[in-house]
């Protein structure tokens, strides 16, 4: 039983990248391509290239504009300079907004990670009725339109005089991060053999010790991936903050929004680049964790 | 679960004291699992279900108890118009993302795993970049001095950007939502057995026929469900229509925001949010029913 579980888990882990029938067979099959097929193939490559350009160019443009030496947004760039970075970091409003975003995101990610991981373990070990409902409750923030969540928090915060309190903003964002942690940790738990927990317990370890020494260590990469996603969401979410920020908790996203509406300057591109850098950096980090882990498992 | 526990409980030998282990496990395990499910549920009840519930309630209590808000919304021609615009925008974006996304997903699932992994990064990085930043980027690109405007000028003879128009909103929303169909459809295409279209070819079907009659039907559920997913998410969009669109592109979300921030009409905002929530939930459940695509977090 457990052997089958482990086997399929190992297959599952490699599946997304490698499970398709091997390339050698396909390559052999592809040699006698008809001219029509070749045309179709290059047409496909052309379309795909265009779509990738469409996906990537807007991101690149924001980064490029942040180095523009002109005082207005222009393309092609007038010249390269760090003026706008200097301006950004000299402006305490932008710096404070960035720090506040980081603080909110850290707290939100911490809450989401604890709640999501606990729930994922409970769902994996619990029996029978109610599990579906619990999962639906924790997963649903992902499906609900954000503007609806924003209204919900706006009304509740207004009713209880909580508008502008950054801790409450973080709590609201943690709710949005929980589904990601839940899904990430749940899928890791499916590949985790519960017999390992049982083994530790039969050898005399209590449940807290088993969880701490056996279960948690093997979930590290899933938990950190979930935590990173939760952080990214809380760091750059823009809709809820527009309603619950008041005048006090001006996050980077909120400040960015105001500036887009009232003065379009290249400083905005700096803020945008920082948001991109944080998201991409954390994403690369999570990929690295994944790769390192795969390598360790292969040994 | 319990059956398995009884099996492993039989001591494998050594320094185990068989008398002690079973009662301890039976006494503690349910407690921990209940806590692991109960605490997250309690957390979600307070910080998620309560605000959403309170918001739903406001639609029938604010300013007067009763269904006045709903009848007001239903008889207001402007609201119907906004609803029509929202549905039209989401439909256009859903069709576009699927049409653009399918070739990319197809290409990613056919190319070598290593190249697919690298190219998938180009899909995932925009995906993790803030919606606000990407909308801002389209303001730069589509503005009067923007790259797109400059490039299009010789073709259209029009030196004005297409910012604040429906095309601008559709382009920006397509950019933001395109990763969803790509990732979802790729997930399905990866699982289609490559020997099936090959078999069709060897039985005499041309490449187009093998694709249309063998491959496409297998891919169709993912195509349809990812399109519907984009449609559902599009219905709730706020940031992009508010920044990139003009007054004619006001979506439900934009009107909700206006009625809260400009008109202080909490009742109408709550009512529209409730309608949006019901619509999105119903459509999500339909998608769930139609296909088994889990979708959202297939990263």
């Amino acid at each position: 039983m457990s052997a089958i579980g482990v086997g399929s888990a190992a297959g599952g882990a490699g599946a997304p990248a490698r499970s398709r029938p091997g390339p050698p067979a396909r390559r052999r099959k592809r040699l006698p391509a008809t001219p029509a097929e070749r045309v179709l193939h290059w047409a496909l490559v052309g379309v795909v290239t265009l779509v990738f350009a469409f996906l990537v160019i807007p991101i690149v443009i924001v980064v490029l504009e942040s180095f523009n030496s002109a005082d207005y947004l222009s393309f092609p760039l007038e010249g390269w300079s760090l003026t706008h970075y200097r301006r950004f970091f000299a402006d305490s409003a932008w710096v404070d907004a960035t720090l506040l975003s980081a603080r909110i995101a850290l707290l939100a990610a911490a809450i989401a990670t604890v709640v999501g991981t606990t729930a994922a373990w409970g769902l994996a070990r619990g029996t029978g009725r109610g599990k579906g409902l619990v999962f639906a409750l924790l997963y649903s923030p992902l499906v609900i339109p954000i503007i609806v969540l924003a209204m919900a928090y706006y009304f509740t915060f207004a009713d209880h005089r909580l508008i502008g309190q950054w801790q409450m903003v973080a709590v609201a964002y943690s709710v949005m991060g929980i589904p990601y942690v839940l899904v990430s940790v749940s899928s890791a738990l499916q590949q985790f053999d519960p017999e390992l927990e049982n083994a530790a317990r039969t050898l005399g370890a209590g449940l807290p010790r088993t969880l701490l020494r056996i279960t948690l260590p093997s979930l590290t990469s899933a938990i950190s991936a979930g935590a990173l996603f939760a952080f990214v969401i809380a760091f750059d979410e823009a809709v809820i903050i527009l309603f619950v920020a008041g005048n006090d908790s001006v996050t980077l996203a909120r400040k960015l929004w105001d500036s887009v509406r009232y003065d379009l300057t290249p400083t905005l591109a700096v803020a945008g680049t920082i948001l991109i850098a944080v998201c991409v950096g954390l994403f690369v980090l999570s990929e690295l964790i994944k790769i390192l882990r795969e390598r360790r498992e292969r040994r | 679960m319990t059956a398995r526990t009884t099996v492993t409980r039989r001591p494998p030998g050594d320094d185990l004291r068989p008398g002690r282990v079973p009662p301890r496990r039976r006494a503690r395990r349910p407690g921990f699992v209940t806590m692991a499910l109960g605490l997250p549920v309690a957390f979600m009840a307070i910080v998620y279900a309560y605000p959403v519930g309170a918001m739903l309630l406001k639609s029938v209590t604010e300013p007067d108890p009763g269904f006045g808000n709903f009848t007001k919304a239903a008889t207001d021609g402007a609201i119907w118009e906004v609803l029509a615009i929202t549905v039209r925008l989401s439909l256009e974006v859903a069709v576009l993302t699927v049409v653009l996304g399918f070739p990319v997903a197809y290409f990613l699932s056919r190319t070598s795993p290593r190249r697919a992994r690298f190219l998938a990064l180009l899909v995932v990085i925009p995906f993790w970049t803030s919606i606000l930043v990407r909308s801002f980027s389209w303001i730069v690109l589509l503005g009067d001095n923007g790259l797109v405007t400059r490039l299009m000028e010789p073709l259209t003879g029009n030196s004005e950007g297409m910012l604040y128009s429906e095309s601008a909103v559709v382009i920006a929303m397509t950019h933001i939502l395109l990763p969803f169909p790509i990732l979802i459809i790729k997930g399905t295409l990866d699982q289609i057995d490559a020997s099936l279209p090959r078999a069709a070819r060897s039985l005499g079907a041309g490449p187009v026929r093998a694709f249309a009659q063998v491959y496409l039907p297998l891919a169709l559920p993912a195509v349809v469900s990812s399109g519907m997913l984009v449609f559902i998410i599009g219905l709730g969009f706020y940031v992009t229509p508010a920044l990139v669109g003009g007054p004619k592109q006001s979506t439900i979300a934009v009107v909700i925001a206006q009625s809260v921030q400009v008109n202080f009409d909490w009742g109408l905002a709550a009512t529209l949010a409730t309608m949006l929530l019901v619509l999105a939930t119903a459509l999500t459940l339909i998608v769930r029913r139609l296909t088994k695509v889990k979708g959202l977090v297939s990263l």
Side-chain angles (χ1 to χ4, degrees):
Chain A
M1 176 81 188
S2 67
I4 295 170
V6 171
S8 66
R18 272 170 286 272
S19 74
R20 270 172 296 112
R26 222 190 307 134
R27 209 170 290 151
R28 217 181 306 138
K29 197 69 202 169
R30 200 168 264 175
L31 269 179
T34 62
E37 267 179 313
R38 228 170 284 152
V39 169
L40 282 175
H41 175 73
W42 286 112
L44 177 68
V45 171
V47 170
V48 169
T49 313
L50 284 178
V51 177
F52 272 117
F54 172 67
L55 271 173
V56 174
I57 285 175
I59 313 287
V60 176
I61 285 287
V62 173
V63 178
L64 288 180
E65 284 291 350
S66 74
F67 295 104
N68 198 345
S69 64
D71 270 343
Y72 45 89
L73 292 160
S74 68
F75 202 90
L77 306 185
E78 305 255 311
W80 297 88
S81 89
L82 290 173
T83 321
H84 302 296
Y85 282 87
R86 252 175 254 131
R87 225 170 260 170
F88 181 93
F89 286 106
D91 187 341
S92 65
W94 279 111
V95 175
D96 288 348
T98 313
L99 292 178
L100 181 64
S101 280
R103 211 175 341 153
I104 287 177
L106 270 179
L107 181 56
I111 299 173
T113 307
V114 172
V115 176
T117 307
T118 314
W121 184 80
L123 285 171
R125 295 293 173 268
T127 45
R129 294 142 282 147
K131 270 170 64 175
L133 272 178
V134 174
F135 183 84
L137 175 70
L138 282 119
Y139 185 82
S140 64
L142 200 63
V143 196
I144 183 172
I146 296 179
I147 186 78
V148 175
L149 267 186
M151 281 304 108
Y153 286 116
Y154 172 72
F155 292 142
T156 307
F157 285 14
D159 281 346
H160 299 277
R161 298 178 181 280
L162 296 168
I163 295 274
Q165 291 193 11
W166 71 270
Q167 293 92 338
M168 297 311 295
V169 177
V171 169
Y173 283 163
S174 75
V175 169
M176 289 178 71
I178 284 172
Y180 290 89
V181 179
L182 179 72
V183 170
S184 169
V185 178
S186 288
S187 66
L189 270 169
Q190 272 172 14
Q191 305 186 2
F192 174 81
D193 188 353
E195 292 301 324
L196 288 174
E197 276 178 16
N198 288 338
R201 309 228 29 220
T202 358
L203 293 171
L207 189 50
R209 197 165 153 198
T210 307
L211 290 177
L212 220 58
R213 302 289 294 273
I214 306 291
T215 316
L216 272 182
S218 48
L219 296 177
T220 334
S221 75
I223 293 175
S224 45
L228 288 176
F229 288 164
F231 182 93
V232 167
I233 290 163
F235 192 76
D236 71 13
E237 204 288 322
V239 180
I240 294 178
I241 197 69
L242 291 180
F243 294 94
V244 301
N247 295 321
D248 301 324
S249 43
V250 178
T251 62
L252 193 52
R254 166 70 195 272
K255 183 108 176 63
L256 194 53
W257 167 275
D258 286 346
S259 310
V260 171
R261 297 209 107 179
Y262 303 118
D263 54 356
L264 277 169
T265 62
T267 316
L268 275 173
V270 175
T273 306
I274 289 175
L275 277 175
I276 294 173
V278 169
C279 298
V280 172
L282 289 179
F283 176 76
V284 170
L285 191 66
S286 80
E287 285 292 297
L288 278 181
I289 293 173
K290 219 190 283 170
I291 292 170
L292 284 180
R293 186 168 174 78
E294 271 170 24
R295 222 174 257 173
R296 209 190 327 153
E297 268 168 8
R298 228 173 286 151
R299 255 179 230 155
Chain B
M1 203 78 218
T2 34
R4 189 189 289 174
T5 331
T6 4
V7 173
T8 47
R9 196 179 292 155
R10 210 162 295 140
D14 286 7
D15 55 354
L16 198 77
R17 278 153 298 178
R20 264 176 99 201
V21 179
R24 199 212 256 165
R25 184 185 298 142
R26 199 178 293 154
R28 275 200 192 168
R29 204 175 201 183
F32 266 101
V33 173
T34 314
M35 263 165 62
L37 288 173
L39 291 178
V41 168
F43 177 82
M44 290 299 270
I46 296 169
V47 306
Y48 171 64
Y50 165 68
V52 173
M55 190 228 49
L56 293 174
L57 202 62
K58 280 220 160 47
S59 68
V60 287
T61 58
E62 190 85 20
D64 309 303
F67 289 95
N69 285 319
F70 286 92
T71 45
K72 214 166 74 185
T75 50
D76 188 341
I79 299 279
W80 282 103
E81 214 166 288
V82 166
L83 201 67
I85 291 164
T86 312
V87 169
R88 189 178 68 214
L89 277 174
S90 311
L91 258 181
E92 287 166 347
V93 172
V95 171
L96 262 175
T97 52
V98 166
V99 168
L100 295 178
F102 187 86
V104 175
Y106 180 79
F107 185 81
L108 287 179
S109 80
R110 307 262 93 187
T111 192
S112 74
R114 179 174 286 190
R115 198 187 294 162
R117 202 168 187 168
F118 167 74
L119 289 176
L121 276 183
L122 297 185
V123 180
V124 175
I125 286 172
F127 184 62
W128 282 110
T129 300
S130 153
I131 293 178
L132 187 54
V133 173
R134 286 192 277 166
S135 302
F136 162 65
S137 176
W138 283 106
I139 294 179
V140 176
L141 282 164
L142 299 174
D144 288 349
N145 276 324
L147 178 63
V148 175
T149 318
R150 292 272 181 86
L151 287 177
M152 297 282 277
E153 204 180 330
L155 293 174
T156 57
N158 194 351
S159 67
E160 274 170 42
M162 54 171 125
L163 205 52
Y164 312 123
S165 69
E166 181 161 337
S167 333
V169 180
V170 171
I171 291 172
M173 277 177 70
T174 302
H175 180 252
I176 289 161
L177 292 170
L178 186 54
F180 283 99
I182 294 181
L183 296 172
I184 294 173
I185 297 173
K186 178 187 181 288
T188 300
L189 296 189
D190 277 346
Q191 297 182 359
I192 294 180
D193 191 340
S195 61
L196 287 177
R198 230 183 286 149
R201 294 296 310 281
S202 70
L203 290 172
V208 176
R209 189 154 172 224
F211 180 84
Q213 291 199 339
V214 177
Y215 200 79
L216 207 54
L218 290 168
L220 212 57
V223 172
V224 172
S225 68
S226 64
M228 280 195 74
L229 185 73
V230 168
F231 178 74
I232 295 164
I233 303 176
L235 288 178
F237 251 56
Y238 172 59
V239 168
T240 314
L243 290 181
V244 182
K248 279 187 185 164
Q249 282 79 45
S250 290
T251 59
I252 300 181
V254 174
V255 174
I256 291 174
Q258 267 170 3
S259 44
V260 156
Q261 292 175 326
V262 182
N263 308 325
F264 304 104
D265 190 344
W266 282 22
L268 183 64
T271 305
L272 292 177
T274 303
M275 284 160 56
L276 187 59
L277 179 61
V278 171
L279 189 63
T281 313
L283 289 173
T284 309
L285 291 178
I286 292 173
V287 176
R288 276 279 166 107
R289 261 289 148 83
L290 286 178
T291 54
K292 288 286 165 207
V293 174
K294 259 199 185 158
L296 283 175
V297 223
S298 57
L299 300 170

